[in-house]
């Protein structure tokens, strides 16, 4: 059965913890729930805002439409052989709980993605990634409800069009992801190249668990806990630059932090750009730029989404003025229309 709530206070629906209201939130556990809501509720012919755990969405005002919250639960094994295991997880499963479950079974493939806030359903949309791993590497497929066709559709990895924080699903909001299948490995190939991981691990034996624990320690040392301080993780994406742009940047700023591909193109660390413009640790009213990481905008308590968004725009303008590069938000901006 779907669960409908009207005139909802969204403060607890987003990890920024900013005040906003939604006309209506519908929580669903199954495709049948979506179908029932669409038959039973007049407004459901409109496109909803699909909201998981709200860890990547900033509400800049009230949301006048309806919000669909996929709460599909459950983790189960779909298939296995000597080397791999195919694991199905419901869209409403907490992502970190899935990582912990995988590590408890000694399977590998998502241990570097520990402690990423949010639910399983959002993971393929964003192609979540951290510390040298990204979802694309383990994604085997998903099942979604297509609101336009009014039926369940399935995708495999060849259709996902994954890139840096993007996917086919990100451009298709009519797809309500219900279940995601991951292909995890029974053999362990540790990925510990990311700066800082090896140092934390020291001479500990390498297992999925020790790597997960090192990632948790690294994240905790840099990023705020959203339960204590409102935020949405990285607020901006790291800008992707061509070879010439990177060379120009490095000629002016030899110390710029860049990640280069073999062809010379790559990304520049947005945190470095923001820090260059003097924003790290700057507090403005009830919001600010986290003093531990310049890419994270935080709500110190009592900030509105508009205030955080204004701060974000001022940061974008100052990075444009000083470094001639354009930052794009990584978080989704919603409401206020
Ligand atoms: N840096 C600064 N100033 C800072 C922080 C970092 O100059 O205040 C520089 C440092 O040189 C550092 C480099 O930026 O080495 C990279 O920082 P970090 O390792 O924290 O990674 P990031 O590129 O800032 C990305 C993801 C994170 C992910 C980490 C680790 C994006 C937008 N963010 O951040 O993802 O956890 O790599 O892999 O790609 C998220 O998406 O919400 C998120 C937190």
């Amino acid at each position: 059965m779907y669960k409908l709530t009207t005139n909802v206070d969204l403060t607890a629906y987003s990890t920024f913890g900013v005040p906003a209201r939604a006309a209506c939130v519908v929580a669903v556990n199954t495709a049948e729930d979506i179908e029932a809501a669409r038959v039973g509720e007049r407004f459901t012919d409109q496109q909803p805002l699909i909201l998981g755990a709200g860890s990547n969405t900033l509400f800049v005002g009230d949301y006048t439409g309806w919000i669909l919250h996929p709460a599909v639960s459950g983790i189960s094994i779909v298939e296995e052989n000597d080397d791999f295991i195919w694991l199905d997880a419901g869209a409403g499963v907490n992502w970190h709980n899935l990582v912990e479950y995988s590590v408890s079974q000694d399977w590998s493939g998502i241990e570097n993605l520990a402690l990423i806030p949010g639910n399983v359903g959002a993971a393929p949309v964003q192609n979540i990634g951290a510390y040298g791993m990204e979802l694309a590497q383990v994604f085997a497929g998903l099942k979604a409800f297509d609101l336009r066709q009014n039926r369940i559709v399935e995708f495999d990895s060849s259709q996902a069009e994954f890139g840096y924080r993007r996917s086919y699903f990100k451009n298709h909001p009519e797809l309500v992801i219900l279940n995601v299948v991951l292909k995890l490995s029974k053999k362990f190939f540790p990925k510990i190249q990311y700066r800082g991981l090896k140092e934390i691990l020291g001479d500990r034996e390498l297992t999925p668990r020790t790597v997960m624990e090192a990632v948790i320690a690294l994240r905790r040392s840099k990023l705020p806990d959203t339960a204590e301080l409102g935020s949405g993780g990285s607020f901006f994406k790291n800008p992707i630059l061509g070879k010439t742009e990177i060379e120009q940047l490095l000629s002016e700023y030899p110390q710029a932090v860049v990640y280069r591909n073999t062809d010379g193109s790559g990304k520049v660390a947005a945190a470095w750009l923001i820090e260059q413009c003097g924003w790290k640790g700057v507090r403005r009213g009830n919001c600010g730029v986290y003093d531990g990481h310049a890419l994270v905008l935080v709500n110190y308590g009592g900030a509105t989404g508009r205030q955080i968004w204004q701060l974000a725009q001022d940061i974008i303008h100052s990075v444009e003025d000083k470094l001639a590069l354009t930052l794009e938000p990584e978080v989704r901006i919603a409401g206020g229309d």
Side-chain angles (χ1 to χ4, degrees):
M1 207 33 213
Y2 65 89
K3 184 169 177 282
L4 181 146
T5 328
T6 52
N7 188 20
V8 183
D9 176 2
L10 292 174
T11 315
Y13 279 75
S14 146
T15 55
F16 278 100
V18 293
R21 298 197 86 81
C24 177
V25 175
V26 178
V28 297
N29 290 298
T30 61
E32 291 73 34
D33 288 352
I34 301 177
E35 285 179 304
R38 298 198 97 199
V39 171
E41 311 295 337
R42 197 170 33 87
F43 58 81
T44 52
D45 53 351
Q46 306 289 321
Q47 170 67 40
L49 178 80
I50 301 166
L51 189 66
S55 54
N56 207 46
T57 300
L58 176 68
F59 286 101
V60 293
D62 292 344
Y63 190 73
T64 49
W66 68 293
I67 290 178
L68 179 55
H69 172 66
V72 186
S73 60
I75 300 175
S76 59
I77 295 171
V78 184
E79 202 184 319
E80 68 180 296
N81 61 27
D82 289 347
D83 297 327
F84 297 104
I85 188 118
W86 283 261
L87 200 62
D88 179 301
V93 171
N94 171 273
W95 173 263
H96 182 67
N97 287 352
L98 182 66
V99 173
E100 281 192 322
Y101 176 72
S102 164
V103 165
S104 74
Q105 302 299 310
D106 222 18
W107 301 328
S108 150
I110 53 176
E111 58 280 3
N112 292 34
L113 305 180
L115 227 57
I116 293 183
N119 289 351
V120 165
V125 178
Q126 278 287 94
N127 184 20
I128 56 170
Y131 307 110
M133 246 177 213
E134 61 180 27
L135 186 91
Q137 293 155 354
V138 292
F139 178 84
L142 64 74
K143 197 171 78 176
F145 188 85
D146 184 326
L147 294 166
R148 287 205 193 132
Q149 300 185 55
N150 222 24
R151 66 182 181 91
I152 289 180
V153 286
E154 292 192 23
F155 291 85
D156 63 27
S157 56
S158 71
Q159 300 164 297
E161 297 175 10
F162 287 126
Y164 169 55
R165 295 294 189 274
R166 65 185 165 78
S167 69
Y168 178 86
F169 316 108
K170 195 165 186 170
N171 302 327
H172 289 269
E174 75 278 12
L175 297 174
V176 184
I177 294 172
L178 299 168
N179 292 81
V180 178
V181 178
L182 303 181
K183 181 184 174 186
L184 302 173
S185 177
K186 292 183 178 176
K187 299 205 172 104
F188 183 42
F189 303 100
K191 290 209 174 99
I192 54 165
Q193 299 311 318
Y194 204 91
R195 211 181 312 189
L197 268 185
K198 271 193 197 136
E199 289 72 10
I200 293 180
L201 280 153
D203 53 11
R204 289 184 75 186
E205 186 198 350
L206 291 181
T207 66
R209 178 163 301 283
T210 56
V211 172
M212 177 183 79
E213 285 169 359
V215 166
I216 289 176
L218 195 54
R219 280 190 83 93
R220 288 207 170 123
S221 71
K222 292 187 185 191
L223 301 168
D225 179 350
T226 54
E228 285 161 22
L229 201 56
S231 93
S234 300
F235 197 95
F236 302 100
K237 289 188 271 198
N238 290 330
I240 296 172
L241 304 183
K243 184 171 185 272
T244 326
E245 284 175 298
I246 292 204
E247 276 158 10
Q248 260 166 11
L249 179 71
L250 286 174
S251 69
E252 211 177 327
Y253 299 94
Q255 75 285 18
V257 181
V258 295
Y259 314 99
R260 297 188 85 168
N261 305 322
T262 42
D263 66 0
S265 67
K267 284 189 219 134
V268 53
W272 182 84
L273 298 172
I274 296 167
E275 198 174 332
Q276 286 307 298
C277 296
W279 286 103
K280 190 169 179 176
V282 170
R283 181 167 173 163
R284 186 196 277 173
N286 292 329
C287 60
V289 180
Y290 189 54
D291 55 9
H293 203 302
L295 203 44
V296 183
L297 302 193
V298 290
N299 174 6
Y300 288 105
T304 64
R306 277 212 186 282
Q307 288 165 339
I308 296 174
W309 185 221
Q310 185 58 56
L311 176 64
Q313 280 167 320
D314 291 348
I315 292 171
I316 293 174
H317 290 140
S318 82
V319 169
E320 255 162 15
D321 288 348
K322 188 171 159 110
L323 296 131
L325 292 172
T326 305
L327 293 181
E328 281 175 24
E330 198 255 353
V331 299
R332 176 174 61 168
I333 308 301
D337 38 26

